[in-house]
Amino acid sequence: MSRLSRFRACPLCEAICGLEFQYEDERLVAIRGDAADPFSQGHICPKGNAILDLEADPDRVRKPLRRRGTEFEEISWDEAFAFAGERLAAIQHENGANSVAAYLGNPNAHHFGSIAYAPAFLRALKSRNIFSASSVDQWPHQVVMWSMYGHQFLLPIPDIDHCDYMLMLGANPMASMGSLMTAPGIAKRLKALCARGKLVVIDPRRNETAEIASEHIFIRPGSDALLLIALLQTLQRIGPARLDHYAGKLKDFDIALASIAHFDSELIAVRTGIGTAQVERIAADLYAAPRAAVYGRMGLSTQMFGTLAQWLLQLIAIYTGNLDQPGGIVPNDAIISLTGPGTARGHHGAWRSRVRGLAEFAGELPVSALAEEILTPGEGQVRALITSAGNPVLSTPNGRALEGALESLDFMLSIDVYINETTRHADLILPPVSSLTQHHYDLIFNAFAVRRVTRLNTPLRAQAEHERGDWEIFNALGAAYCEAANKPWTSLPSPEQMIAAGLKHGGSDITIDDLKAAPHGIDLGPLQPNLLTRLQTESGLIECAPSLLLEDLARLASDAFAPAPGDSLQLIGRRDIRSNNSWMHNAPRLIKGKPRHQLLMHPDDLAARGIVDGVDVRVRSAIGSITVAVKSCDDLMRGVASLPHGFDHRRAGTRLTSAATLDGASYNDISDPAALDAPSGNAALNGLIVWVEAAATPLKSMPALATQ
Ligand SMILES: Nc1nc2c(c(=O)[nH]1)N[C@H]1C(S)=C(S)[C@@H](COP(=O)(O)OP(=O)(O)OC[C@H]3O[C@@H](n4cnc5c(=O)[nH]c(N)nc54)[C@H](O)[C@@H]3O)O[C@H]1N2
Ligand SMILES: Nc1nc2c(c(=O)[nH]1)N[C@H]1C(S)=C(S)[C@@H](COP(=O)(O)OP(=O)(O)OC[C@H]3O[C@@H](n4cnc5c(=O)[nH]c(N)nc54)[C@H](O)[C@@H]3O)O[C@H]1N2
Ligand code: SF4
Ligand SMILES: [Mo]
């Protein structure tokens, strides 16, 4: 039997590793890291291998499903599109455009057929109720880039291969593989950094990255903005700002520095748990390092002061002369750009959510508002929901309430490949064929990579007659809906044509034929300074003191110092190398071995509550409670508990045979939709106040909700 190899980037995480797919008689039999990929150089993680499970998964939905009572029945694609188009148009006709909402989940960003095709369909709907996983993730980054540099995606990336020092907060790339920092084989890169310089990790948990880092420092959840203020104050005492590189391009830097001058460093030390001597040492190292990168991710964004923290990181990079400099933080000038003329710069507050009045950002509303927009009667109430590659029941605040809300909808359409906690509520499920059968170009992750790279991904196998790619689904939905709603519609050309046009528009001289001739991808070299010529602010300058951010300093001053209620803990999330948010627990390869769902607590916190290691505990927030096994762990700061999200797959009506064998509870059953980072509207998932006690204890011993 002959083996044949085909090459393609992995679609599962931001690292976009090149993979080698080995076929025998057109059957996928093995997956390896592609040693010839100049960027990933053969790297693969357990998830890359689990593509074998995903492709063969008997639970995977492969034909359109329409709900009949509590069952789903297979229908044809034509029937499915016509049904969807008619229902969406009819509901809008009766209740107005905003009565149809949409939620886009994380995998959309990994599929060209979604990211490049969903927007046209959504625009045709003309609804203001568009939501996505961005508002439980990276909105603070986008709001800061939009405010300071004039474009939501003009995002400086840590140049990890060339820095001598890196300050990392709220990230765990050893498990997540890196985020807003595409860097395949990141473990090697970080170890190289530790060998030539210093990596300092600031995190309430001594996470897997802290373990390989030069230094780890605990911080109280939610207090990073205060620490960064103390750092910036200290830098000013150490030496002058290195602003030569930004001459004539900086606006209001002095105003920004003055705005944080009144914060008391002693009080900050009490709140963060990081003493002033430690702050001075970090500041001195940062200032002395020839090239230093600063980086904050999930743990920094999804907390009460995420936007301020991201802004302060940019100011620190400017102060130390590391913004837009090799070895510092530098945007990637990808050959198909997310910025520039004709792209979506972003806007803020152009409209507000109906119930709570939350501001839109870049055309979307915070997903924390979705359940209330469905449940609250009145004009503009959401009556229909479209989900695309999203599982908001497990991924967004108070998922239980959202789950109840989904039951009350008049119509729900899910573009998804599983019947899971969210899609089981759909009236219609449209399953795209494996994205590996489609042309793909990483619009997003090439633009957030630590090197300048490009690659075209060609189909691994031909698409069968009964299969539909994401792009075909969005095109057909648009056509069916517009016909029913009597609106004009033009379908977009194929991904191959769209990618070719994108390359032409990018003006790099690289054509689609060049990319076809380089199946392992092309390396275009290290990051190069480019931010100053790409600024899209109205002033044409770096806006160091945007009013949206300065206004939030008052909230920081009043709220960030508030003591946590007595005997409470602060809950934070974590990721495991074998997980992918909520949806890869159905891959048998990934769920083998030790359990990974437990609540981690410090042994002293267990002892103080008389809780024995390993028992089931009740974790209660202002929103509700969950029961989950506890595990003693001295890698956690005292007063902090850690729980991964994306568990609890035993809900009735799902079709997740392997995932349903797992124990675990959903973090988002107790996360709070009212806890928001104010300027962005991003959910503050981390730092959630909870009480923990043995599940065997009677409920009444928990503090009354009214006291919280
Ligand atoms: N408590 C807590 N909550 C969190 C987080 C946290 O750290 N803590 N993290 C947040 C973050 S960063 C994110 S990005 C969100 C993620 O939030 P979501 O994107 O809503 O959730 P996922 O678990 O990624 O769900 C992905 C969905 O895509 C489907 N899917 C998989 N492959 C395909 C495909 O090829 N095509 C289609 N159409 N569908 C597919 C899966 O079946 C699943 O329904 O969760 C957020 N929620
Ligand atoms: N294996 C795996 N890889 C993934 C994913 C996955 O689910 N599994 N999800 C993907 C997605 S969608 C994303 S967005 C990325 C996220 O990638 P990362 O940002 O690296 O996310 P996490 O691994 O959740 O790391 C967040 C860290 O923040 C810490 N933290 C929590 N609260 C605070 C705080 O208040 N301050 C500070 N300083 N730290 C805090 C946590 O302890 C944790 O170590 O990962 C991606 N990659
Ligand atoms: S690190 Fe990410 S891109 Fe690379 S193989 Fe693993 S899941 Fe795929
Ligand atoms: Mo994410």
Side-chain angles (χ1 to χ4, degrees):
M1 219 176 295
S2 66
R3 273 208 182 188
L4 177 90
S5 287
R6 296 181 183 129
F7 301 91
R8 176 153 179 136
C10 175
L12 294 176
C13 94
E14 298 178 42
I16 57 171
C17 298
L19 299 183
E20 175 182 350
F21 294 80
Q22 298 181 348
Y23 285 80
E24 265 174 18
D25 294 339
E26 286 308 306
R27 205 166 54 87
L28 178 62
V29 292
I31 300 175
R32 309 259 179 271
D34 175 7
D37 181 309
F39 193 29
S40 64
Q41 299 180 359
H43 183 260
I44 183 168
C45 82
K47 282 190 287 181
N49 255 305
I51 290 176
L52 287 167
D53 288 350
L54 297 180
E55 293 293 297
D57 192 342
D59 288 339
R60 193 171 172 131
V61 181
R62 294 174 197 273
K63 298 208 170 118
L65 296 179
R66 180 170 175 180
R67 170 179 298 287
R68 301 275 181 207
T70 56
E71 303 292 313
F72 282 108
E73 133 190 326
E74 285 182 3
I75 60 170
S76 73
W77 283 104
D78 287 347
E79 283 174 286
F81 292 132
F83 175 51
E86 279 158 23
R87 290 299 287 135
L88 295 172
I91 288 168
Q92 280 190 326
H93 184 73
E94 213 167 292
N95 307 287
N98 296 334
S99 64
V100 172
Y103 171 81
L104 303 179
N106 168 275
N108 289 290
H110 296 268
H111 300 155
F112 188 84
S114 305
I115 198 84
Y117 291 77
F121 170 56
L122 297 180
R123 268 195 308 273
L125 290 173
K126 286 198 160 52
S127 169
R128 291 184 159 184
N129 284 311
I130 307 296
F131 304 85
S132 84
S134 293
S135 55
V136 278
D137 187 348
Q138 79 288 350
W139 261 11
H141 296 253
Q142 289 171 250
V143 166
V144 168
M145 303 320 146
W146 167 74
S147 313
M148 293 185 76
Y149 309 133
H151 198 294
Q152 57 175 332
F153 297 128
L154 206 35
L155 174 79
I157 308 298
D159 188 4
I160 60 169
D161 295 336
H162 303 102
C163 58
D164 308 292
Y165 182 96
M166 183 169 185
L167 182 68
M168 181 184 290
L169 306 98
N172 186 13
M174 289 297 285
S176 71
M177 300 292 143
S179 179
L180 302 185
M181 174 174 65
T182 286
I186 195 158
K188 253 201 217 161
R189 296 171 197 267
L190 292 177
K191 285 174 188 163
L193 160 61
C194 294
R196 75 171 176 269
K198 202 163 177 186
L199 167 65
V200 177
V201 169
I202 300 192
D203 201 292
R205 181 168 77 90
R206 190 178 305 112
N207 63 25
E208 291 77 359
T209 308
E211 269 172 26
I212 65 144
S214 322
E215 188 178 350
H216 166 244
I217 300 169
F218 283 127
I219 186 167
R220 291 243 145 258
S223 69
D224 302 80
L226 295 176
L227 169 72
L228 296 172
I229 285 177
L231 270 175
L232 208 41
Q233 291 174 342
T234 312
L235 284 168
Q236 292 173 69
R237 286 197 296 276
I238 293 177
R242 302 189 185 109
L243 304 179
D244 292 355
H245 180 63
Y246 321 109
K249 287 284 187 184
L250 275 192
K251 191 172 151 215
D252 298 341
F253 192 59
D254 47 343
I255 294 178
L257 294 181
S259 73
I260 55 157
H262 62 287
F263 284 84
D264 181 307
S265 59
E266 296 293 335
L267 285 179
I268 288 179
V270 172
R271 175 64 183 97
T272 59
I274 302 177
T276 48
Q278 244 171 336
V279 173
E280 272 160 30
R281 200 169 40 76
I282 301 170
D285 284 353
L286 245 176
Y287 196 77
R291 298 170 300 181
V294 288
Y295 173 69
R297 227 357 234 121
M298 259 299 289
L300 204 67
S301 293
T302 55
Q303 53 155 290
M304 292 302 281
F305 304 100
T307 299
L308 283 180
Q310 295 297 345
W311 169 62
L312 290 157
L313 277 180
Q314 301 302 310
L315 295 180
I316 289 173
I318 294 172
Y319 196 93
T320 56
N322 284 299
L323 176 69
D324 203 34
Q325 287 292 290
I329 58 172
V330 189
N332 188 312
D333 54 344
I335 60 169
I336 301 186
S337 186
L338 299 175
T339 69
T343 61
R345 279 180 58 210
H347 41 75
H348 183 266
W351 62 86
R352 290 187 171 262
S353 71
R354 177 181 62 106
V355 178
R356 227 192 304 174
L358 299 176
E360 66 75 40
F361 175 67
E364 293 180 14
L365 289 168
V367 69
S368 294
L370 177 55
E372 70 207 25
E373 291 298 329
I374 299 174
L375 291 169
T376 311
E379 207 180 312
Q381 182 182 7
V382 169
R383 301 306 317 145
L385 176 68
I386 302 161
T387 68
S388 172
N391 191 3
V393 167
L394 291 193
S395 300
T396 67
N398 202 356
R400 279 284 171 188
L402 179 62
E403 182 156 32
L406 298 183
E407 276 299 284
S408 74
L409 290 168
D410 293 338
F411 179 64
M412 179 170 158
L413 160 66
S414 288
I415 303 166
D416 208 290
V417 292
Y418 284 106
I419 305 178
N420 63 20
E421 300 75 17
T422 296
T423 62
R424 73 189 175 107
H425 298 284
D427 298 289
L428 182 63
I429 302 180
L430 300 180
V433 62
S434 163
S435 66
L436 302 173
T437 64
Q438 309 292 314
H439 279 89
H440 170 72
Y441 188 90
D442 272 302
L443 284 181
I444 309 276
F445 305 113
N446 285 324
F448 295 154
V450 301
R451 286 187 71 84
R452 297 155 66 236
V453 290
T454 176
R455 123 180 251 154
L456 174 73
N457 296 286
T458 52
L460 289 184
R461 67 163 173 84
Q463 180 179 325
E465 213 268 314
H466 67 276
E467 295 174 325
R468 296 289 180 280
D470 315 71
W471 69 280
E472 292 174 296
I473 293 177
F474 283 111
N475 268 345
L477 273 178
Y481 160 76
C482 286
E483 189 184 324
N486 211 3
K487 293 181 179 181
W489 173 259
T490 313
S491 283
L492 291 167
S494 73
E496 199 180 344
Q497 288 166 293
M498 293 274 279
I499 295 164
L503 286 164
K504 215 176 238 172
H505 182 75
S508 66
D509 291 345
I510 295 177
T511 66
I512 196 158
D513 290 330
D514 298 331
L515 293 187
K516 280 181 183 166
H520 308 283
I522 301 175
D523 181 46
L524 302 169
L527 297 173
Q528 303 283 1
N530 64 80
L531 176 65
L532 300 183
T533 56
R534 290 170 67 195
L535 294 171
Q536 285 186 249
T537 47
E538 268 163 40
S539 61
L541 308 174
I542 296 176
E543 293 282 352
C544 296
S547 54
L548 184 66
L549 307 191
L550 292 196
E551 280 160 19
D552 204 37
L553 285 169
R555 189 178 64 102
L556 180 72
S558 67
D559 294 6
F561 293 104
D567 70 4
S568 66
L569 296 165
Q570 279 188 286
L571 189 65
I572 59 170
R574 72 172 185 274
R575 285 173 160 75
D576 181 274
I577 191 166
R578 303 171 89 88
S579 72
N580 199 358
N581 296 321
S582 75
W583 74 275
M584 279 185 73
H585 290 143
N586 212 47
R589 271 182 180 75
L590 295 180
I591 58 172
K592 283 188 306 212
K594 58 167 194 187
R596 301 176 175 90
H597 65 279
Q598 297 105 323
L599 180 80
L600 303 182
M601 270 173 70
H602 191 277
D604 292 354
D605 286 328
L606 285 176
R609 288 162 181 77
I611 300 173
V612 180
D613 186 12
V615 301
D616 278 354
V617 291
R618 189 154 48 233
V619 188
R620 178 139 158 187
S621 73
I623 294 304
S625 76
I626 52 174
T627 302
V628 66
V630 75
K631 191 173 163 195
S632 175
C633 172
D634 42 25
D635 286 335
L636 268 183
M637 197 173 191
R638 279 190 201 106
V640 176
S642 151
L643 184 76
H645 72 290
F647 279 89
D648 192 5
H649 305 293
R650 290 192 178 131
R651 301 182 188 191
T654 57
R655 193 165 90 198
L656 298 166
T657 311
S658 298
T661 63
L662 291 177
D663 291 333
S666 177
Y667 190 121
N668 289 314
D669 278 4
I670 57 171
S671 58
D672 187 351
L676 295 176
D677 164 56
S680 67
N682 204 59
L685 303 164
N686 284 298
L688 182 73
I689 300 292
V690 296
W691 286 264
V692 179
E693 65 175 8
T697 317
L699 253 179
K700 64 177 176 8
S701 74
M702 302 293 282
L705 284 181
T707 66
Q708 289 169 29

